[in-house]
Amino acid sequence: MYKKELIEIANTKLLKVTNRPEIVMCKGQGMYLSDIEDNEYLDFIGGWAVNCLGHSPDVISNILAKQSRTLVNASPSFYNLPMLEYAELLINNCCFERVFFSSTGAEANEGAIKLARKFGYVCKNGAADIITTQNGFHGRTLTTMSATGKEQWETLFEPKTKGFFKAIFNDFESVKNLATEKTCAIMIEPIQGEGGVNVATKDFIQKLRAFCDKENILLIFDEIQTGMGRTGKLFCYQHYGIEPDIMTLGKGIGGGFPLSALLAKEKLNIFDPGDQGGTYTGQPLSMSVGLAVLREILDKDLVENSRKMGDLIKKQLCELSKQYEIEDVRGQGLLIAFDLLQTKGNDFVNKCLKDGLLINAPRDSSIRLMPPLVVKEKEVEKLITILKNNLKIRKIA
Ligand SMILES: Cc1ncc(COP(=O)(O)O)c(C=O)c1O
């Protein structure tokens, strides 16, 4: 089919939910995506921080072929082999004792919110309020939209789920001021991804942990974007010398296959049968992929590559900022952002797209990079060359 016809289908048949360029992707290999006209794109969006092993990795295609010949679905009412093997490996590599599997990040966060409220009902006189943060992002179901701190969403789809209060990120006093005896949890992203890559300070997180311990409040880390090696540690909480009570994972956990997880401390194994579930929880295909992805991350030490390549990219961006109109290079591991002076983020994204580079603009003048964890120096070099070609030179005062 010709591109014109395909775009016609897109324009007339798909429910419009976002603006997309007139490009139809058809292939992915390693760090590159290709479209139906054989244009190649160096991918520093990484499927939105998802394709941690790159595009079409053998590890995923092999296990999908093997598992789909063995067992695709056994129903959520039975255990299955990959589910148990994966649960054990995941738990052995983090500070939690219990896991519940689902398919999307928002679903994992819904589970975390329900678990926190169950804790409030069982252990804290019915406390159900949850403190989240301004500019935080937790998903697009109605409840996770309620938890999200996007100003534009405040009045959308009313009435939303009640009981969420938005504190200022990295401002402990603002969190403290919102806490009452009705608060059951504080839920944050250690690095706000969609909010523009805002990194939580160690002081902020450690104060939150101490405050939660004192007030019997749960600390929930939404690591859907920061987990699975993205920030140069397997999980971002490991940068802070603390342990959350609940953590959610998504995106990179399945390397492109829909998979998410809710992890919790043993004391939170308090759901009654029927409180939580789902047709696809622990589905053998996603479990075998999750297991294979985690094994690959550990075996190939991709967490170290994330740290090393992240440091290299940040160093090169800081060098660029001396000559070109960029500032505030920030982030950890391979979750990096910088701000543009006098250029709109989307205009810059479109210019780079024409040069075959995929990057993202989470805010007006911010650019975000979240490449696969397998990125190598030669691809970083190409990234910097294309950025340089499109950046404005600083005016000397
Ligand atoms: C921190 C965070 N939480 C939750 C979500 C929602 O995940 P999903 O789109 O898989 O539902 C996202 C997605 O961008 C995210 O970045």
Side-chain angles (χ1 to χ4, degrees), residues 110-392:
E110 285 266 346
I113 291 163
K114 283 164 67 177
L115 187 56
R117 288 194 167 170
K118 183 85 189 190
F119 164 82
Y121 302 137
V122 175
C123 311
K124 214 184 161 188
N125 300 321
D129 290 349
I130 298 179
I131 298 172
T132 60
T133 58
Q134 294 172 13
N135 295 316
F137 184 86
H138 300 293
R140 289 171 194 276
T141 59
L142 208 47
T143 293
T144 53
M145 282 184 90
S146 310
T148 290
K150 262 171 111 102
E151 224 179 306
Q152 317 88 284
W153 284 7
E154 281 299 311
T155 52
L156 260 190
F157 308 125
E158 288 292 301
K160 287 215 275 301
T161 307
K162 288 186 291 191
F164 291 95
F165 299 87
K166 317 284 159 51
I168 300 167
F169 191 68
N170 269 339
D171 181 339
F172 174 65
E173 286 306 312
S174 134
V175 178
K176 210 170 137 189
N177 290 338
L178 288 175
T180 71
E181 75 283 359
K182 292 196 181 125
T183 308
C184 65
I186 296 169
M187 179 172 182
I188 59 156
E189 302 160 80
I191 301 178
Q192 291 184 326
E194 300 309 297
V197 187
N198 310 313
V199 182
T201 64
K202 203 164 184 175
D203 180 63
F204 178 59
I205 296 293
Q206 290 188 340
K207 280 186 175 145
L208 285 186
R209 181 65 275 176
F211 181 67
C212 287
D213 287 342
K214 187 164 152 272
E215 303 295 333
N216 194 25
I217 292 171
L218 298 178
L219 183 59
I220 306 174
F221 266 34
D222 175 344
E223 291 228 27
I224 283 155
Q225 192 155 146
T226 56
M228 304 315 287
R230 172 66 39 200
T231 70
K233 297 265 187 201
L234 190 55
F235 305 109
C236 196
Y237 74 78
Q238 295 166 329
H239 286 291
Y240 293 95
I242 61 105
E243 294 180 358
D245 301 295
I246 296 175
M247 172 172 77
T248 52
L249 297 174
K251 293 188 182 284
I253 187 176
F257 198 88
L259 175 61
S260 62
L262 153 63
L263 292 121
K265 293 285 193 183
E266 184 62 37
K267 69 172 181 182
L268 294 171
N269 186 26
I270 53 174
F271 274 140
D272 287 311
D275 281 354
Q276 180 65 343
T279 302
Y280 293 117
T281 181
Q283 195 259 11
L285 281 188
S286 65
M287 294 294 93
S288 61
V289 171
L291 178 62
V293 168
L294 179 54
R295 277 189 182 141
E296 183 77 356
I297 290 176
L298 297 174
D299 290 353
K300 299 269 162 70
D301 204 358
L302 295 181
V303 179
E304 175 56 13
N305 194 57
S306 165
R307 191 196 59 75
K308 227 169 77 189
M309 289 299 113
D311 284 353
L312 178 67
I313 295 171
K314 275 197 290 185
K315 195 169 147 222
Q316 306 243 10
L317 289 173
C318 287
E319 272 305 305
L320 280 187
S321 72
K322 292 180 189 158
Q323 238 192 314
Y324 296 88
E325 289 206 335
I326 71 169
E327 62 177 11
D328 197 10
V329 175
R330 57 193 182 273
Q332 251 169 343
L334 290 171
L335 183 53
I336 296 171
F338 58 86
D339 289 343
L340 298 165
L341 304 174
Q342 304 181 71
T343 308
K344 286 250 177 260
N346 280 335
D347 294 343
F348 189 72
V349 165
N350 288 333
K351 279 186 182 173
C352 291
L353 181 67
K354 287 201 179 100
D355 282 354
L357 171 68
L358 305 181
I359 52 174
N360 156 257
R363 317 215 77 185
D364 247 11
S365 59
S366 299
I367 295 298
R368 178 173 47 168
L369 310 173
M370 37 189 173
L373 306 186
V374 293
V375 63
K376 296 197 189 69
E377 271 175 47
K378 67 174 193 289
E379 288 124 9
V380 172
E381 256 172 51
K382 196 164 169 189
L383 161 84
I384 298 295
T385 306
I386 299 177
L387 291 179
K388 222 179 211 174
N389 284 346
N390 290 290
L391 282 168
K392 287 190 187 143

